[in-house]
Every structure is written in structure tokens, then in C-alpha cells.
Amino acid sequence: PKDLAGERVLVTAGPTREELDPVRYLSNHSSGKMGYAIARAARRRGARVTLVTGPVCLAEPFGVETISVVSAAEMREAVVSRFAAASIVIKAAAVADFRPEARAGSKIKKSAGETVLRLARTGDILAEIGRLKNGQFIAGFAAETDDLGGNAVKKLKEKNLDMIVANDVTREGAGFAVDTNIVTMIFSDGRIEDMPLMDKETLADTILDRIAAMRRQSPNLASG
Ligand code: CTP
């Protein structure tokens, strides 16, 4: 069903890369598969979809406006500048929390002994749009290795989200770079739903089922 017709969905996917010098960077194992599956499914269900993606090895989804970024700062700019026009935001990207304090202009040469890398914090994009929220439905993701429920509920509240999709990345079949995931969906009204092992395509539609149902209950000015 075209149950997302009229919605403008903004999805983020993939990792970010924080450059150290012209040849090296800090990043993570995100493949982008979850976010791309959500973008494709949302488009199939009638939404106008914008995908902001970090560097991944996936084909651009058909019919989806795709914006490629590299660093957390670039992703922030791409998301914040499009936030007002969105009615639903789903942040599946694994954004780096730290970047090298300085990017060397030329390749860092090795020296004898150990070296220390100074890192600075990147801005939390999800928290920022949570503060800017004006009727949008915001779904975040949480990748955890300990106390899945506790940490995810904390993120849901602190970042002013409507929903958080939490996954324990230590479980086999869950998390980064696999085609399946095992998640717990937590909603701002306190509902918690534990999901079985699912392929990311099915999970994308399940997440959108929940969002579409909540949008039907409380549509607002941001849609249309
Ligand atoms: N996120 C973001 N900007 C950041 C870091 C994270 O928008 N700089 C978003 C991610 O896209 C995800 C959610 O925040 O939807 C949670 O990311 P996660 O890495 O699980 O948590 P953090 O908030 O970064 O907390 P921590 O690393 O301490 O677990």
C-alpha cells in the first residue's frame, strides 16, 4: 500500500569518515544496508525520499534523491539544511563521535616509539534535530554492546525522539555489515517491541509499518 504518500522522508545511512591526513581516516563497520533498505521501502510506499549517505558500496536507490557525504560535519550540514522540509526523519547512519583534532595537510610520517592522536567531538546530529523538531517524526538507531534497553531509552529521551531502533551489535546476525538484524523498537509512549531475527528488507518495512500507524494516529502540519 502507498501508506506513506504525502510524506517527505529523510533517511541517513552508512558510516562517516574523519580524515587524519590525505591517506588515512577514522571510521566504523557500517555497511549502509539498513538505511538503504529503509529508503527503498519508503519510496515504494509512496513517500518522497531523500537519502543522505556516507561512503558505502551500494547502488543508489531508484527514485530516491541521494546526497553523498564523507564526514560527520558534512552529514550534519546535509541533514540540518533539509530538516524543515521533512515530515519523517530516520537516522540509520553510524556517525563518528570523534574526529582527529587536526587534519594534517600532508601524509603523517612514522616516528620512533608510540604516538598519541588527539580527538575532538563531532556534533550529535540527531540531538540537534531533536531540539529543532517542529512536528516531524524522528526515529533514531542505537548500536549497543551493553544494557541495550537502558542505553536506548536514555538516547530516546535525551535526543527527543519518537522512536528508537536498538540493536545489540555483539549478537550473531545483528548489527554491522550483515544482511539481518535483531532489534528492539522503543517508542516515546513507553511501548517496547522485541523483534526476532529479520532480514534488513523486512525490518525496513516493519519499522515503516509502525511509523505509518503512528502518523495516522497523529498527523501534523509537517506532512504533505
Ligand atoms: N548520531 C548522530 N550524530 C552523532 C552520533 C550519533 O546523529 N554524532 C545518531 C545516529 O545516527 C543514531 C543515534 O545517534 O541514530 C545513536 O547513535 P549511537 O552511536 O548508538 O549512539 P551515540 O548517541 O553516539 O552514543 P554512544 O556512542 O555514547 O553510545
Side-chain angles (χ1 to χ4, degrees), residues 196-213:
L197 179 82
M198 281 179 156
D199 63 77
K200 287 181 176 173
E201 304 288 332
T202 312
L203 179 58
D205 269 312
T206 306
I207 291 167
L208 294 175
D209 288 345
R210 301 301 180 275
I211 295 176

Side-chain angles (χ1 to χ4, degrees), residues 106-155:
S106 47
K107 188 184 168 200
I108 301 166
K109 302 303 281 181
K110 62 177 167 295
S111 50
E114 63 184 31
T115 188
V116 173
L117 199 56
R118 289 193 66 84
L119 302 178
R121 283 291 307 272
T122 59
D124 189 317
I125 306 166
L126 194 53
E128 184 171 351
I129 62 170
R131 287 191 292 273
L132 297 173
K133 187 155 94 171
N134 179 23
Q136 290 91 342
F137 185 100
I138 305 183
F141 274 70
E144 306 292 349
T145 56
D146 309 281
D147 188 14
L148 181 71
N151 282 319
V153 169
K154 193 162 165 265
K155 285 177 192 172

Side-chain angles (χ1 to χ4, degrees), residues 39-57:
R40 278 195 303 272
R43 195 243 169 206
R44 205 170 50 235
R45 295 166 72 144
R48 273 176 64 184
V49 183
T50 300
L51 173 66
V52 176
T53 176
V56 298
C57 300

Side-chain angles (χ1 to χ4, degrees), residues 164-185:
I164 192 154
V165 182
N167 58 288
D168 178 346
V169 291
T170 64
R171 287 177 74 175
E172 198 173 324
F176 294 134
V178 290
D179 289 326
T180 54
N181 214 344
I182 309 167
V183 306
T184 300
M185 297 192 285

Side-chain angles (χ1 to χ4, degrees), residues 4-11 46-50 65 82-89 136-137 215 222-224:
L4 293 176
E7 300 284 8
R8 297 176 64 123
V9 179
L10 177 61
V11 183
R48 273 176 64 184
V49 183
T50 300
E65 182 195 16
R82 287 169 181 82
F83 180 63
S87 60
I88 297 171
V89 182
Q136 290 91 342
F137 185 100
R215 296 285 292 168
S223 68

